[in-house]
PDB file of all heavy atoms in Angstrom:
ATOM      1  N   CYS A  74      -9.610  -3.360 -11.662  1.00 91.00           N
ATOM      2  CA  CYS A  74      -8.668  -4.361 -12.159  1.00 91.00           C
ATOM      3  C   CYS A  74      -9.279  -5.756 -12.148  1.00 91.00           C
ATOM      4  O   CYS A  74      -9.097  -6.532 -13.090  1.00 91.00           O
ATOM      5  CB  CYS A  74      -7.387  -4.352 -11.319  1.00 91.00           C
ATOM      6  SG  CYS A  74      -6.380  -2.891 -11.528  1.00 91.00           S
ATOM      7  N   PHE A  75     -10.006  -6.071 -11.093  1.00 92.00           N
ATOM      8  CA  PHE A  75     -10.607  -7.397 -10.989  1.00 92.00           C
ATOM      9  C   PHE A  75     -11.651  -7.622 -12.081  1.00 92.00           C
ATOM     10  O   PHE A  75     -11.695  -8.697 -12.689  1.00 92.00           O
ATOM     11  CB  PHE A  75     -11.233  -7.604  -9.616  1.00 92.00           C
ATOM     12  CG  PHE A  75     -11.841  -8.963  -9.440  1.00 92.00           C
ATOM     13  CD1 PHE A  75     -11.027 -10.070  -9.237  1.00 92.00           C
ATOM     14  CD2 PHE A  75     -13.203  -9.142  -9.507  1.00 92.00           C
ATOM     15  CE1 PHE A  75     -11.568 -11.334  -9.096  1.00 92.00           C
ATOM     16  CE2 PHE A  75     -13.764 -10.401  -9.361  1.00 92.00           C
ATOM     17  CZ  PHE A  75     -12.948 -11.501  -9.161  1.00 92.00           C
ATOM     18  N   PHE A  76     -12.479  -6.630 -12.345  1.00 93.00           N
ATOM     19  CA  PHE A  76     -13.499  -6.802 -13.384  1.00 93.00           C
ATOM     20  C   PHE A  76     -12.895  -6.893 -14.786  1.00 93.00           C
ATOM     21  O   PHE A  76     -13.425  -7.579 -15.653  1.00 93.00           O
ATOM     22  CB  PHE A  76     -14.549  -5.699 -13.324  1.00 93.00           C
ATOM     23  CG  PHE A  76     -15.577  -5.949 -12.272  1.00 93.00           C
ATOM     24  CD1 PHE A  76     -15.733  -5.061 -11.215  1.00 93.00           C
ATOM     25  CD2 PHE A  76     -16.386  -7.065 -12.315  1.00 93.00           C
ATOM     26  CE1 PHE A  76     -16.677  -5.294 -10.230  1.00 93.00           C
ATOM     27  CE2 PHE A  76     -17.343  -7.308 -11.332  1.00 93.00           C
ATOM     28  CZ  PHE A  76     -17.485  -6.422 -10.287  1.00 93.00           C
ATOM     29  N   LEU A  77     -11.770  -6.224 -15.000  1.00 90.00           N
ATOM     30  CA  LEU A  77     -11.134  -6.282 -16.314  1.00 90.00           C
ATOM     31  C   LEU A  77     -10.253  -7.524 -16.487  1.00 90.00           C
ATOM     32  O   LEU A  77     -10.029  -7.966 -17.615  1.00 90.00           O
ATOM     33  CB  LEU A  77     -10.322  -5.013 -16.557  1.00 90.00           C
ATOM     34  CG  LEU A  77     -11.135  -3.728 -16.670  1.00 90.00           C
ATOM     35  CD1 LEU A  77     -10.225  -2.525 -16.835  1.00 90.00           C
ATOM     36  CD2 LEU A  77     -12.120  -3.816 -17.828  1.00 90.00           C
ATOM     37  N   SER A  78      -9.740  -8.055 -15.383  1.00 87.00           N
ATOM     38  CA  SER A  78      -8.866  -9.230 -15.454  1.00 87.00           C
ATOM     39  C   SER A  78      -9.057 -10.099 -14.215  1.00 87.00           C
ATOM     40  O   SER A  78      -8.209 -10.108 -13.322  1.00 87.00           O
ATOM     41  CB  SER A  78      -7.412  -8.780 -15.572  1.00 87.00           C
ATOM     42  OG  SER A  78      -6.560  -9.890 -15.615  1.00 87.00           O
ATOM     43  N   PRO A  79     -10.155 -10.857 -14.144  1.00 86.00           N
ATOM     44  CA  PRO A  79     -10.448 -11.634 -12.938  1.00 86.00           C
ATOM     45  C   PRO A  79      -9.652 -12.924 -12.800  1.00 86.00           C
ATOM     46  O   PRO A  79      -9.601 -13.499 -11.726  1.00 86.00           O
ATOM     47  CB  PRO A  79     -11.939 -11.947 -13.079  1.00 86.00           C
ATOM     48  CG  PRO A  79     -12.181 -11.943 -14.544  1.00 86.00           C
ATOM     49  CD  PRO A  79     -11.226 -10.930 -15.116  1.00 86.00           C
ATOM     50  N   TYR A  80      -8.996 -13.366 -13.864  1.00 86.00           N
ATOM     51  CA  TYR A  80      -8.352 -14.678 -13.827  1.00 86.00           C
ATOM     52  C   TYR A  80      -6.841 -14.621 -13.632  1.00 86.00           C
ATOM     53  O   TYR A  80      -6.207 -15.663 -13.493  1.00 86.00           O
ATOM     54  CB  TYR A  80      -8.674 -15.458 -15.093  1.00 86.00           C
ATOM     55  CG  TYR A  80     -10.156 -15.631 -15.270  1.00 86.00           C
ATOM     56  CD1 TYR A  80     -10.831 -14.985 -16.293  1.00 86.00           C
ATOM     57  CD2 TYR A  80     -10.890 -16.411 -14.384  1.00 86.00           C
ATOM     58  CE1 TYR A  80     -12.200 -15.123 -16.442  1.00 86.00           C
ATOM     59  CE2 TYR A  80     -12.259 -16.548 -14.516  1.00 86.00           C
ATOM     60  CZ  TYR A  80     -12.903 -15.908 -15.547  1.00 86.00           C
ATOM     61  OH  TYR A  80     -14.251 -16.038 -15.678  1.00 86.00           O
ATOM     62  N   SER A  81      -6.276 -13.437 -13.607  1.00 84.00           N
ATOM     63  CA  SER A  81      -4.835 -13.336 -13.412  1.00 84.00           C
ATOM     64  C   SER A  81      -4.447 -11.924 -12.982  1.00 84.00           C
ATOM     65  O   SER A  81      -4.955 -10.944 -13.515  1.00 84.00           O
ATOM     66  CB  SER A  81      -4.088 -13.681 -14.706  1.00 84.00           C
ATOM     67  OG  SER A  81      -2.697 -13.548 -14.531  1.00 84.00           O
ATOM     68  N   THR A  82      -3.538 -11.871 -12.034  1.00 84.00           N
ATOM     69  CA  THR A  82      -2.930 -10.591 -11.649  1.00 84.00           C
ATOM     70  C   THR A  82      -1.479 -10.539 -12.131  1.00 84.00           C
ATOM     71  O   THR A  82      -0.786  -9.569 -11.892  1.00 84.00           O
ATOM     72  CB  THR A  82      -2.943 -10.407 -10.117  1.00 84.00           C
ATOM     73  OG1 THR A  82      -2.167 -11.443  -9.526  1.00 84.00           O
ATOM     74  CG2 THR A  82      -4.351 -10.427  -9.574  1.00 84.00           C
ATOM     75  N   ASN A  83      -1.058 -11.584 -12.779  1.00 79.00           N
ATOM     76  CA  ASN A  83       0.328 -11.725 -13.209  1.00 79.00           C
ATOM     77  C   ASN A  83       0.521 -11.038 -14.564  1.00 79.00           C
ATOM     78  O   ASN A  83       0.441 -11.669 -15.613  1.00 79.00           O
ATOM     79  CB  ASN A  83       0.697 -13.205 -13.286  1.00 79.00           C
ATOM     80  CG  ASN A  83       2.173 -13.410 -13.495  1.00 79.00           C
ATOM     81  OD1 ASN A  83       2.910 -12.462 -13.747  1.00 79.00           O
ATOM     82  ND2 ASN A  83       2.602 -14.651 -13.392  1.00 79.00           N
ATOM     83  N   TYR A  84       0.775  -9.763 -14.542  1.00 80.00           N
ATOM     84  CA  TYR A  84       0.915  -8.976 -15.759  1.00 80.00           C
ATOM     85  C   TYR A  84       2.172  -9.339 -16.533  1.00 80.00           C
ATOM     86  O   TYR A  84       2.285  -9.032 -17.709  1.00 80.00           O
ATOM     87  CB  TYR A  84       0.903  -7.476 -15.443  1.00 80.00           C
ATOM     88  CG  TYR A  84       2.040  -7.067 -14.551  1.00 80.00           C
ATOM     89  CD1 TYR A  84       3.278  -6.729 -15.076  1.00 80.00           C
ATOM     90  CD2 TYR A  84       1.889  -7.064 -13.170  1.00 80.00           C
ATOM     91  CE1 TYR A  84       4.324  -6.382 -14.251  1.00 80.00           C
ATOM     92  CE2 TYR A  84       2.923  -6.716 -12.350  1.00 80.00           C
ATOM     93  CZ  TYR A  84       4.150  -6.385 -12.898  1.00 80.00           C
ATOM     94  OH  TYR A  84       5.175  -6.058 -12.063  1.00 80.00           O
ATOM     95  N   LYS A  85       3.126 -10.006 -15.888  1.00 75.00           N
ATOM     96  CA  LYS A  85       4.367 -10.391 -16.570  1.00 75.00           C
ATOM     97  C   LYS A  85       4.131 -11.536 -17.556  1.00 75.00           C
ATOM     98  O   LYS A  85       4.789 -11.615 -18.575  1.00 75.00           O
ATOM     99  CB  LYS A  85       5.416 -10.822 -15.558  1.00 75.00           C
ATOM    100  CG  LYS A  85       5.871  -9.727 -14.637  1.00 75.00           C
ATOM    101  CD  LYS A  85       6.838 -10.286 -13.623  1.00 75.00           C
ATOM    102  CE  LYS A  85       7.034  -9.354 -12.465  1.00 75.00           C
ATOM    103  NZ  LYS A  85       7.829  -9.957 -11.401  1.00 75.00           N
ATOM    104  N   ARG A  86       3.217 -12.427 -17.225  1.00 77.00           N
ATOM    105  CA  ARG A  86       2.993 -13.618 -18.042  1.00 77.00           C
ATOM    106  C   ARG A  86       1.661 -13.588 -18.806  1.00 77.00           C
ATOM    107  O   ARG A  86       1.438 -14.400 -19.681  1.00 77.00           O
ATOM    108  CB  ARG A  86       3.013 -14.853 -17.160  1.00 77.00           C
ATOM    109  CG  ARG A  86       4.240 -14.940 -16.293  1.00 77.00           C
ATOM    110  CD  ARG A  86       4.878 -16.286 -16.337  1.00 77.00           C
ATOM    111  NE  ARG A  86       5.929 -16.510 -15.365  1.00 77.00           N
ATOM    112  CZ  ARG A  86       7.071 -15.892 -15.288  1.00 77.00           C
ATOM    113  NH1 ARG A  86       7.336 -14.928 -16.122  1.00 77.00           N
ATOM    114  NH2 ARG A  86       7.975 -16.194 -14.390  1.00 77.00           N
TER     115      ARG A  86
END
Side-chain angles (χ1 to χ4, degrees):
C74 291
F75 181 75
F76 279 118
L77 294 177
S78 179
Y80 302 111
S81 178
T82 62
N83 190 351
Y84 61 87
K85 295 176 196 173
R86 308 228 190 296

